[in-house]
Amino acid sequence: MEIISGERKDLGRALCIITGASKGYGRTLAVQLSCLMKPRSVLMLVARSADQLNKVKEDVRALNDGHKKLDVRCVQADLEKTEGVEKTMQAIKDTSSSDMDHFLLINNAASLGDVSRSALTFTDPAEVNHYLSLNVSCVLSLTARVLQAFPQRVGLQRTVVNISSLCALKPFPSWVLYCTGKAARDMMFRVLAEEEPDVRVLSYAPGPLDTDMQLQARRFSGDLNLRQSFSTMFSEGQLLSCEESGAKLMKLLLDDEYRSGAHVDFYEL
């Protein structure tokens, strides 16, 4: 697989953790990142489905067979729950990083939420909190705990990526949960960049991807104009492949020239 790259050709000997890695964009990022990791690196894939994770693991191993010794680890965990975060952290702590060059956490796990309703229908705090648990709360707690587990040291680059969206910046009618979650995550990582200047922080908006989430958006968006817009993008072939979008993220990580804490959109590159 060819990855667009700048002068730096790889991420060094790295520990890379990807949440939501079992399908769609997360799966693509796992495959693409595996090509940029030096021998004896660790690629940790986190998601709810063990079967899908193992399939991704097989694909990564097949791609890299004979080229490098890459340790691919699967963690079946529901990050919406405290036990899922605990299980993920235990797997991370069990990984030796004393001679790693690069630590990379990609916060990709997310859900669309109910996009069929307007903001005024969300009167139950429990329903809202349930959505925010996976999409905001666990992202902050996992990121904080991971960075504590791998403190700053000479020779180690620490990078945290938030998979963001245009919805972090622009309101979409009937998407109040999703827009709120993405906006909160962007600000969360802007604050992190201010507080931890030694950590490289990036919020990357991958563009409109041809994934299951896009299918949900076309079927269930309560705003008819929005639904029609998504349907037109699909029918006219305007949706992006995960591979095309992921390649630009790989280039961003390799070039390492973005302002820490920045929101960078696929279409800006």
Side-chain angles (χ1 to χ4, degrees):
M1 173 179 293
E2 180 180 356
I3 299 293
I4 302 170
S5 63
E7 291 186 7
R8 186 166 69 164
K9 302 300 181 184
D10 59 61
L11 299 174
R13 185 173 177 226
L15 167 57
C16 297
I17 303 164
I18 307 173
T19 66
S22 62
K23 61 181 181 178
Y25 198 52
R27 179 201 174 280
T28 296
L29 295 182
V31 171
Q32 291 183 328
L33 276 171
S34 73
C35 299
L36 303 180
M37 300 166 71
K38 281 190 172 180
R40 297 185 299 119
S41 292
V42 177
L43 179 61
M44 187 170 293
L45 311 175
V46 184
R48 288 179 291 186
S49 171
D51 290 342
Q52 289 179 313
L53 281 176
N54 285 323
K55 180 64 168 63
V56 178
K57 180 178 180 177
E58 291 173 6
D59 291 344
V60 169
R61 282 184 167 174
L63 179 64
N64 290 279
D65 184 41
H67 299 288
K68 67 181 73 173
K69 186 177 180 181
L70 180 63
D71 184 358
V72 184
R73 305 183 184 184
C74 298
V75 182
Q76 180 188 15
D78 184 352
L79 294 177
E80 185 181 323
K81 301 175 181 177
T82 303
E83 312 89 82
V85 176
E86 293 292 345
K87 185 176 181 180
T88 303
M89 281 308 305
Q90 188 56 56
I92 292 170
K93 289 177 180 178
D94 289 342
T95 303
S96 173
S97 63
S98 58
D99 53 352
M100 293 288 184
D101 306 312
H102 200 147
F103 170 80
L104 171 63
L105 170 63
I106 298 185
N107 288 294
N108 172 67
S111 62
L112 186 60
D114 189 342
V115 293
S116 68
R117 298 152 53 193
S118 67
L120 293 186
T121 67
F122 289 94
T123 57
D124 181 2
E127 181 182 10
V128 178
N129 290 338
H130 179 76
Y131 178 83
L132 295 178
S133 176
L134 169 65
N135 293 280
V136 179
S137 304
C138 97
V139 177
L140 176 56
S141 60
L142 181 64
T143 301
R145 293 184 63 179
V146 165
L147 289 176
Q148 287 180 11
F150 297 100
Q152 180 184 11
R153 65 166 170 80
V154 175
L156 176 66
Q157 177 175 334
R158 298 186 296 166
T159 304
V160 177
V161 177
N162 165 44
I163 300 303
S164 186
S165 168
L166 175 62
C167 293
L169 309 178
K170 179 181 177 180
F172 281 34
S174 76
W175 283 39
V176 64
L177 292 181
Y178 191 78
C179 290
T180 299
K182 288 300 185 182
R185 281 169 61 149
D186 263 34
M187 183 55 72
M188 178 195 309
F189 287 103
R190 286 176 61 187
V191 171
L192 177 65
E194 292 291 327
E195 294 179 346
E196 304 292 336
D198 63 290
V199 178
R200 299 288 287 144
V201 181
L202 172 66
S203 287
Y204 175 67
L209 301 176
D210 190 6
T211 61
D212 288 345
M213 188 176 287
Q214 233 310 306
L215 178 60
Q216 292 179 50
R218 294 195 301 273
R219 287 181 174 176
F220 302 119
S221 291
D223 185 82
L224 296 182
N225 290 331
L226 193 59
R227 191 190 304 178
Q228 181 59 50
S229 176
F230 287 137
S231 296
T232 299
M233 292 176 69
F234 174 72
S235 62
E236 295 183 357
Q238 296 175 357
L239 298 178
L240 301 171
S241 70
C242 292
E243 290 75 15
E244 182 181 8
S245 177
K248 285 197 175 183
L249 175 56
M250 297 303 112
K251 187 178 188 305
L252 274 172
L253 294 174
L254 288 172
D255 292 346
D256 198 27
E257 295 174 348
Y258 57 87
R259 176 179 53 82
S260 189
H263 174 108
V264 180
D265 192 278
F266 171 90
Y267 290 109
E268 297 173 353
L269 302 171

